[in-house]
Amino acid sequence: MPEDPEPDRQKLNWTGFANRDDQLLIVLSLVIGVLVGLTVVAFMLVTGRLSARMYPPDSAAWRRVLVPIAGALLSGYLLFRYFPGARGSGIPQTKFALFLEDGYISLKTVFGKLICCSISLASGIALGREGPSVQIGAGIASAIARRFGLSAENVKALVPAGAAAALAAAFNTPIAAVLFTLEEILGDLHAPVLGSVVLSSATSWIVLHLILGDQPLFHVPAYQLVSTAEFGIYAILGVVGGLGSVCFVKLLLGLRLWFRKLPRWTVWCQPAIGGLLVGLLGWFHPEVLGVGYDYVDRVLGGDFPLKTVILLAVLKIVATPVCYSSGNAGGIFGPSLFVGAMMGGAVGTVAHTLFPGSTANPGAYALVGMGTAFAGIVRTPLTSVIMIFEMTRDYSIIVPLMISNMISFFISQKLQQEPIYEALAHQEGVHLPTLQERGASGLTAADIMVKDAPMLPSAVSVESLRMETEKEQCKWWPVGDDGHLRGMATDRRGVTEIKTSFAHAHPDHSLSQLLERMREFKVDALPVVSRADIHRLIGVVTLRRILSVYEIQEEQAGAEFE
Amino acid sequence: MKVVPHLKVAVSLSLIAAGLLSLDRFLERTETSEIAREAESAYQRGTSLLQQRKNDQALEFLRKAHSLERENSGYELQLGNALAAAGKTDDAEPLIMEALGRRPTDGAANLAAAHLMVEMGEETAAESFFHRAIYGEWKADGANLRIATRFELVELLAEEKHKQEMLAELISLEAEAGNDRKIRKRLAHLLLLAGSPVRAAAVYRDLTNTGPTDSESLIGLGEAELADGNYRAARNSFLRAAMHNRGAAIESRLQLLDALTALDPMPRQLTSLEKYHRSIRILDLTRSDLEQLAESNPSRDSAQIGELLKQASDAIAKRQPPHVSNEVAEAVLSLAEQLWRARIQAFGASTSQDEESLRLLLERLGS
């Protein structure tokens, strides 16, 4: 009998899909697109109407101080008491859920995010709605997938679809939403879930258009490249954008670290500090309040004076990090576009004043500046280019965008090596797997580690330490107190020496990664810790165990060859 | 795969979607109506401030109205108008031209473009846009807006002193104006400016016939008749106006007309002798005016002026001929005209109130 050259084809049914799970995933991608689109539109409309009621036209200035404080206090209490999972932007939380919790996001978190973000954003907190939308979308996708009894793998496959659908509706940029999901959420441009991500993004975008019409997020004037000399000015914009982005990120991370050190009982009222600051700034400059898209629109129209755009860029660079690090619910996408527009407006105004005949209106620079700040802060260069391209729908903007975005990205990468979401995760004690780690095949640390390895107390005697190390034939052993890993201990000439700065492994690390790490840090044992909390010990992996695994495999291989 | 539980979930999701859709629709309608109200309020305030010439404040409100309702071309054009009025023509141009590109035959868009061109100093293009606005499409109250636009065009032509074109537009307006007294008064005033006092007087006369106590129209009629050289008729009109509205302005006009009536050498019933005396008086006034100017500005004096002054002095000093004919009086008036022309050439036109009667008479004689 000749062999079938394409045996897999026999497994396909009339729809072209291999099995019913694949069909269901496709159908659910569409359902997720619809539901997420409807929810995000409702979220945007509720926030907008609530904000209009908080700040009626010609309202008194005291509102601009008191409303953000009250909003931050209320949302802060709700987050602390009822919805701790809804804190922050939503992007890192979505990634945690995707990589550490099998895509699990509770509906309670989704509701919490909706309620708390609506309150804080409507009250004028200087954060954006796009990051929270991503978590809301991912949460809806996760809940739907679980309701349909899908496997953990399939739940994880649908979470990015929800995230993309949310971003497509929130930004009105379906292609950029797909790219962002691949570039930032999944960290893999070749992710196999591309099909469902594209489907849900497009569906959500259609829903947005059906309800709100063909209204763009920003009203962008026709883009113009007046002369080739402008490329040089766009390069300068890239430098300015890069430096501004680094300031923004460093300030945010530094402040977040400071707030984390405050006593735990203050967590519920910490957001009020952000509310107070934004309120005081808003007293003098109402433009700082909220995400400020109205003002972005005006800068794109080129009608803000130089002094104002510089001032607003600086104020937003201060206000958003304070609001975010103090624990308010909201994202940094919108504010980063605001900061970028202002920086671009400033560079454009200076350029247009100096060389009026050979430069475009400052609005063109504000537009490119938005992408520049996004590339520098969020560190998704491809998304930032495509997002602005989608907003303008003008091909001629691509090259200036690429020039300034790449320069900004490069500067940001040089001066702030860790990307913002990764750094925020590390501050939380979370180590997400890299693309390489996720692709690991074969045996992993979880397969060979000493499970239920006893963690010795910090004040361990050298005798007790010897007992454990001799049992596993290694020199190092984890120590800690109250289930909190503090370091690795060794017997140094009869004295216990503890290293608090130590190398660690995660359960999904491959054996080669473990060996590499042991060689790098010159140790023969590594604590295996949780990705969600690096101070939670799961097991211990030793060099002897790894070698023994290889010996067995070598013996088996030898036997086969014999 | 269990179908029934999936069906239940699917039904639940459909219900949730329907609920969300209803919520979205409700919120969207609420937002649309609230934004429309806010935009309308901002537009009204901006327009009111624009009319008060508070351009910068008006801009704030009109920008807000435009950003709230981008698709409202009325708000867009009014913002363009405000930007142009504030001298920000670079910002106004793309806004107005974009609106015009969308609706090239729209009257309001063409009118805004005309205003922009006026601000940019492009009068020819402005005239073209004014014409396109006049013959363009208007959403409501088209007839009145066309008349108002044509008036604006006439005023532009008046500024440029294009009297022929101005008169052509005014003749069209005369047909369109109907019986609206306000419009007809403005029309008559502009006809006078366009150098057509006869047409102006006809419109004013019509107005005074239907409103005999309308002092404004009576004054207008007086001015038209004064410009046409009908001093007696003009005096009568001013006297009628003074019966309803006596003021310093009318008084001064009456004094002027008294002076003109006393000097005017042209009335048909005047005898040759009286015409001669008036001519000599006009010559004397012209000569003394020129002499004074020549003394106070010796650098501009010339041999030609000296010669003319000598001729004038001789003519005045000469004894009255025994038989005064019309030709003798005309010769004297001709000399007075020559003196007046020399005066204008060397020292410029007279702007003095005291010399107004002399100026009016000599201009009329020279025309």
Side-chain angles (χ1 to χ4, degrees):
Chain A
M1 280 272 289
E3 273 188 36
D4 185 347
E6 293 177 277
D8 285 348
R9 183 161 282 188
Q10 289 174 342
K11 293 175 192 166
L12 302 181
N13 61 24
W14 66 271
T15 57
F17 292 105
N19 54 48
R20 284 182 67 94
D21 265 7
D22 282 356
Q23 292 171 23
L24 188 59
L25 281 182
I26 293 300
V27 173
L28 286 184
S29 300
L30 295 171
V31 173
I32 287 166
V34 171
L35 281 174
V36 171
L38 288 169
T39 310
V40 171
V41 169
F43 173 50
M44 292 193 297
L45 290 171
V46 164
T47 310
R49 288 310 83 211
L50 207 55
S51 176
R53 271 148 192 75
M54 298 283 159
Y55 300 100
D58 304 323
S59 56
W62 61 261
R63 273 180 181 265
R64 300 203 290 270
V65 180
L66 292 190
V67 171
I69 297 173
L73 273 176
L74 178 59
S75 65
Y77 179 75
L78 291 173
L79 285 168
F80 179 72
R81 183 80 179 80
Y82 302 106
F83 311 111
R87 193 175 286 276
S89 115
I91 307 286
Q93 291 79 358
T94 303
K95 290 169 79 174
F96 298 168
L98 190 61
F99 296 117
L100 307 179
E101 288 150 18
D102 288 336
Y104 179 83
I105 299 172
S106 69
L107 269 181
K108 185 183 163 190
T109 300
V110 173
F111 283 124
K113 199 84 187 176
L114 268 170
I115 295 165
C116 296
C117 283
S118 298
I119 295 170
S120 64
L121 301 184
S123 67
I125 294 297
L127 294 173
R129 65 193 179 205
E130 292 79 14
S133 300
V134 167
Q135 196 183 6
I136 290 167
I140 291 171
S142 168
I144 291 173
R146 282 182 278 122
R147 285 278 169 194
F148 275 90
L150 297 187
S151 65
E153 273 311 303
N154 284 339
V155 173
K156 281 169 76 174
L158 285 177
V159 165
L167 210 56
F171 261 139
N172 197 358
T173 53
I175 305 171
V178 171
L179 275 175
F180 179 80
T181 305
L182 299 180
E183 203 175 14
E184 177 58 41
I185 305 280
L186 293 165
D188 179 8
L189 286 171
H190 303 287
V193 295
L194 180 64
S196 50
V197 167
V198 170
L199 264 182
S200 60
S201 172
T203 314
S204 166
W205 183 79
I206 291 168
V207 169
L208 173 81
H209 274 237
L210 283 175
I211 298 169
L212 296 184
D214 192 22
Q215 283 292 313
L217 183 60
F218 301 112
H219 292 85
V220 179
Y223 178 77
Q224 281 179 299
L225 183 72
V226 177
S227 71
T228 48
E230 279 194 287
F231 288 129
I233 301 166
Y234 283 114
I236 295 170
L237 175 57
V239 174
V240 174
L243 294 174
S245 304
V246 171
C247 290
F248 182 95
V249 174
K250 282 198 182 289
L251 185 63
L252 189 145
L253 293 174
L255 284 168
R256 185 78 201 112
L257 214 55
W258 183 79
F259 274 106
R260 285 177 65 83
K261 286 177 188 160
L262 294 179
R264 174 143 176 80
W265 66 265
T266 60
V267 170
W268 75 272
C269 61
Q270 282 176 16
I273 297 174
L276 176 67
L277 178 89
V278 89
L280 290 175
L281 294 177
W283 175 284
F284 301 104
H285 297 281
E287 299 93 334
V288 179
L289 292 171
V291 67
Y293 283 158
D294 293 350
Y295 300 101
V296 172
D297 238 8
R298 287 184 59 179
V299 175
L300 291 175
D303 68 351
F304 262 171
L306 179 63
K307 205 171 80 177
T308 310
V309 285
I310 293 175
L311 183 70
L312 290 181
V314 172
L315 292 183
K316 204 72 164 185
I317 286 178
V318 174
T320 298
V322 175
C323 287
Y324 186 92
S325 5
S326 57
N328 281 291
I332 56 169
F333 279 22
S336 67
L337 293 182
F338 182 100
V339 170
M342 296 302 152
M343 289 194 294
V347 171
T349 307
V350 172
H352 197 63
T353 310
L354 294 176
F355 315 106
S358 50
T359 55
N361 186 286
Y365 290 86
L367 191 60
V368 175
M370 282 161 61
T372 306
F374 198 85
I377 293 171
V378 185
R379 293 266 194 97
T380 50
L382 199 55
T383 305
S384 65
V385 170
I386 297 300
M387 183 190 287
I388 305 299
F389 172 57
E390 264 189 298
M391 283 177 187
T392 57
R393 296 165 195 177
D394 188 341
Y395 188 76
S396 59
I397 199 172
I398 287 277
V399 176
L401 255 179
M402 282 165 78
I403 291 172
S404 58
N405 284 17
M406 288 307 143
I407 291 174
S408 168
F409 179 73
F410 177 75
I411 290 174
S412 171
Q413 206 174 32
K414 278 278 163 201
L415 301 180
Q416 164 63 42
Q417 291 186 341
E418 212 171 18
I420 187 164
Y421 291 129
E422 209 173 301
L424 284 169
H426 285 178
Q427 285 187 356
E428 300 279 338
V430 175
H431 284 214
L432 292 172
T434 60
L435 183 59
Q436 188 194 6
E437 287 164 351
R438 274 183 268 147
S441 57
L443 290 173
T444 61
D447 300 319
I448 61 154
M449 67 185 181
V450 184
K451 292 185 178 85
D452 305 321
M455 183 161 58
L456 299 172
S458 298
V460 64
S461 67
V462 75
E463 290 76 22
S464 308
L465 178 65
R466 268 187 209 150
M467 258 175 62
E468 289 298 333
T469 52
E470 280 168 8
K471 199 160 60 183
E472 282 297 324
Q473 294 176 21
C474 62
K475 289 176 184 160
W476 295 86
W477 200 257
V479 292
D481 304 300
D482 305 324
H484 188 89
L485 178 67
R486 297 212 182 278
M488 291 293 279
T490 190
D491 172 8
R492 188 78 70 195
R493 296 187 191 96
V495 180
T496 307
E497 183 187 307
I498 296 175
K499 260 192 177 181
T500 51
S501 170
F502 56 92
H504 64 265
H506 295 295
D508 55 359
H509 273 157
S510 67
L511 299 194
S512 61
Q513 283 173 316
L514 296 174
L515 281 172
E516 181 63 28
R517 202 159 276 205
M518 283 177 178
R519 187 194 62 77
E520 190 183 340
F521 290 93
K522 296 185 174 56
V523 290
D524 61 354
L526 289 169
V528 181
V529 295
S530 159
R531 281 201 178 275
D533 179 4
I534 59 161
H535 295 288
R536 189 157 66 80
L537 184 70
I538 296 173
V540 176
V541 65
T542 63
L543 183 61
R544 190 191 61 82
R545 279 184 173 245
I546 300 172
L547 290 177
S548 69
V549 168
Y550 280 118
E551 279 164 15
I552 292 163
Q553 285 178 335
E554 275 167 14
E555 281 166 16
Q556 284 172 341
E560 274 173 18
F561 281 112
E562 277 169 9
Chain B
M1 194 170 283
K2 292 163 188 167
V3 177
V4 176
H6 282 185
L7 200 64
K8 277 186 182 173
V9 178
V11 171
S12 312
L13 288 178
S14 305
L15 289 174
I16 291 169
L20 277 170
L21 184 63
S22 309
L23 175 69
D24 282 351
R25 286 278 180 221
F26 167 73
L27 287 169
E28 188 267 330
R29 273 198 297 272
T30 311
E31 182 173 89
T32 306
S33 66
E34 283 182 8
I35 284 178
R37 272 204 301 275
E38 202 181 333
E40 174 66 22
S41 157
Y43 172 75
Q44 295 298 348
R45 286 179 72 174
T47 304
S48 157
L49 287 164
L50 194 62
Q51 281 161 358
Q52 295 167 41
R53 309 256 177 219
K54 294 177 181 170
N55 292 339
D56 286 342
Q57 284 170 274
L59 271 177
E60 276 297 305
F61 288 102
L62 292 172
R63 271 199 183 110
K64 187 177 176 188
H66 174 55
S67 70
L68 287 171
E69 274 203 24
R70 294 271 174 183
E71 65 281 13
N72 189 318
S73 59
Y75 297 170
E76 185 180 27
L77 289 173
Q78 190 69 312
L79 175 60
N81 282 331
L83 284 166
K88 298 181 178 179
T89 49
D90 281 356
D91 295 337
E93 195 176 2
L95 213 62
I96 292 171
M97 291 307 163
E98 207 179 302
L100 197 60
R102 282 198 302 273
R103 300 193 336 141
T105 56
D106 183 52
N110 280 292
L111 181 59
H115 290 157
L116 177 68
M117 292 301 138
V118 170
E119 282 297 325
M120 291 166 82
E122 311 243 352
E123 277 81 13
T124 314
E127 282 172 35
S128 160
F129 279 119
F130 271 123
H131 278 125
R132 287 170 64 179
I134 290 164
Y135 299 108
E137 294 161 8
W138 294 87
K139 279 177 192 157
D141 201 19
N144 284 330
L145 289 168
R146 281 191 183 94
I147 289 171
T149 305
R150 207 187 283 277
F151 269 125
E152 281 194 59
L153 171 59
V154 169
E155 271 159 15
L156 174 71
L157 293 168
E159 275 175 32
E160 291 174 48
K161 305 205 184 328
H162 292 172
K163 290 196 173 179
Q164 284 301 315
E165 289 94 327
M166 195 178 162
L167 197 57
E169 295 300 332
L170 288 169
I171 289 166
S172 301
L173 258 177
E174 214 174 338
E176 293 164 2
N179 291 323
D180 188 310
R181 291 185 69 83
K182 210 173 159 186
I183 293 174
R184 290 183 70 76
K185 273 184 205 173
R186 197 172 165 197
L187 171 71
H189 170 72
L190 288 167
L191 280 167
L192 196 52
L193 284 182
S196 180
V198 179
R199 279 182 181 275
V203 177
Y204 276 128
R205 206 165 288 122
D206 188 38
L207 284 165
T208 54
N209 287 342
T210 51
T213 58
D214 181 356
S215 58
E216 205 183 336
S217 298
L218 286 166
I219 291 169
L221 180 60
E223 291 290 351
E225 281 165 337
L226 171 62
D228 198 30
N230 298 330
Y231 302 130
R232 254 174 230 287
R235 194 167 175 278
N236 282 340
S237 295
F238 278 110
L239 279 173
R240 280 172 68 194
M243 284 165 66
H244 307 290
N245 181 15
R246 198 158 193 105
I250 294 177
E251 281 301 320
S252 113
R253 263 353 212 178
L254 283 170
Q255 280 172 19
L256 172 71
L257 283 162
D258 284 343
L260 281 167
T261 318
L263 269 178
D264 186 10
M266 313 286 271
R268 285 169 63 193
Q269 72 276 21
L270 216 61
T271 62
S272 296
L273 184 62
E274 182 56 23
K275 183 173 179 177
Y276 173 76
H277 284 150
R278 290 187 181 193
S279 307
I280 290 292
R281 176 84 186 118
I282 290 168
L283 181 64
D284 191 26
L285 286 169
T286 316
R287 182 193 59 121
S288 53
D289 175 52
L290 188 56
E291 256 176 6
Q292 275 176 23
L293 286 168
E295 277 168 23
S296 53
N297 299 285
S299 59
R300 294 190 198 174
D301 197 2
S302 64
Q304 190 209 352
I305 290 175
E307 178 59 30
L308 283 170
L309 285 171
K310 188 173 175 301
Q311 281 179 31
S313 299
D314 291 348
I316 292 161
K318 207 164 133 185
R319 292 185 72 185
Q320 182 188 319
H323 176 71
V324 178
S325 66
N326 191 44
E327 283 74 23
V328 177
E330 283 294 332
V332 173
L333 284 173
S334 173
L335 183 57
E337 276 180 65
Q338 283 182 53
L339 279 173
W340 186 253
R341 275 199 296 272
R343 176 217 194 274
I344 290 172
Q345 219 170 17
F347 307 103
S350 163
T351 52
S352 157
Q353 287 284 325
D354 301 337
E355 292 171 359
E356 196 178 1
S357 53
L358 188 64
R359 178 180 63 79
L360 285 170
L361 272 178
L362 287 162
E363 275 176 4
R364 191 170 145 231
L365 286 171
S367 64

